[in-house]
Amino acid sequence: MKYAISTLGLPGTPLERSAALAADHGYDGLELRAHPEEPLHPGSPAAERAAGRRTLTAAGVAVLGVAGYAKVAAAGADEPVLAELRALVRLAADLEAPCVRVFPGGRDLPEATADANAVRRLRAAAPFAERHGVRILLETHDSHRTGAAAARVLDQVAHPAAGALWDVLHTWLGGESPERSRQALAAHLGYIQVKDVVSAYELTPLGLGAGVLPLAGVVAAAPAGGWLCWEYEKRWYPEAAELPGQLARGREHLAKLVAGSAP
């Protein structure tokens, strides 16, 4: 198994520092939050992208994915969403990242309309992503929080450059067991975001293993040799403990879960 951390847990941190933290604590990669608050985003010029790639290479840390904020199921015209997807794909390609994370974002729409929006846009964007060596991953989130809901879209898209990012918090909040999530996403899974929280009513992030999420079941359902990415939502919960002091324990906890799930 390979391990990564999301820079959502290190808001505004210089890339050199994030890469060093990952490498020093035994993580193989970084998921980069692609937002103007962060060092690299779709508006970053070519020179900054190249410098970022050199920084990560020097640290021995891979870019697992670029975490964008495009909402493929949302209401509105297609072209702004497709333009955002193309920009994210270009950023990922420049950073040699294999994946781009997108959200559904269709919560205020009828299910059939949200599905149709997502299918149409992902079908349109997938060939562009494939030409750039990038896969667009629909996160289990908001309007499509379960594996079954994400798979309902991806089964219709039916393109290898469109897949799923399994956010374990949202599938759990949606009442789906790890086994059912894995079964639903088996044909589409890109990687898994792990995290932990106090309860379904208190989502302040905790260290891995300190909360209620069924992480052992998630790891047992994870494909061998895949990626587990710790998404610690410090950006949205500034009162949460700082991530750097928890990285060693988190990596150790994941390794124990992986060892315990091995046949």
Side-chain angles (χ1 to χ4, degrees), residues 63-67 88 92 97-101 133-137 190-191:
V63 184
L64 168 59
V66 168
L88 288 165
C99 303
V100 162
R101 185 282 305 279
V134 174
R135 196 174 185 210
I136 300 172
L137 300 183
Y191 64 93

Side-chain angles (χ1 to χ4, degrees), residues 5-8 30-36 38 40-42 63-70 84 88-89 91-92 95 97 99-103 135 137 139 165 191 193 229 231 236:
I5 54 174
S6 169
T7 58
L8 186 65
L30 285 173
E31 180 191 70
L32 299 180
R33 179 178 181 242
H35 189 279
E38 304 301 335
L40 292 172
H41 54 85
V63 184
L64 168 59
V66 168
Y69 289 88
E84 188 173 3
L88 288 165
V89 166
L91 175 62
L95 297 174
C99 303
V100 162
R101 185 282 305 279
V102 301
F103 287 136
R135 196 174 185 210
L137 300 183
E139 183 171 319
L165 196 169
Y191 64 93
Q193 283 180 345
C229 177
E231 187 189 49
W236 313 128

Side-chain angles (χ1 to χ4, degrees), residues 10 143 219-220 240 250:
L10 302 163
S143 58
V219 170

Side-chain angles (χ1 to χ4, degrees), residues 35-64:
H35 189 279
E37 296 175 346
E38 304 301 335
L40 292 172
H41 54 85
S44 298
E48 291 182 8
R49 299 177 188 213
R53 181 64 250 163
R54 290 193 297 270
T55 294
L56 293 160
T57 299
V61 173
V63 184
L64 168 59

Side-chain angles (χ1 to χ4, degrees), residues 137-202:
L137 300 183
L138 179 65
E139 183 171 319
T140 55
H141 198 272
D142 58 81
S143 58
H144 293 69
R145 73 184 342 171
T146 64
R152 192 175 63 233
V153 168
L154 294 167
D155 287 345
Q156 295 180 69
V157 177
H159 195 288
L165 196 169
W166 178 7
D167 180 322
V168 305
L169 172 62
H170 288 277
T171 54
W172 178 76
L173 289 172
E176 194 174 64
S177 71
E179 295 79 12
R180 289 178 66 88
S181 298
R182 177 69 176 96
Q183 182 179 31
L185 298 174
H188 307 292
L189 186 59
Y191 64 93
I192 300 172
Q193 283 180 345
V194 295
K195 57 189 73 175
D196 222 338
V197 296
V198 175
S199 74
Y201 307 99
E202 174 49 77

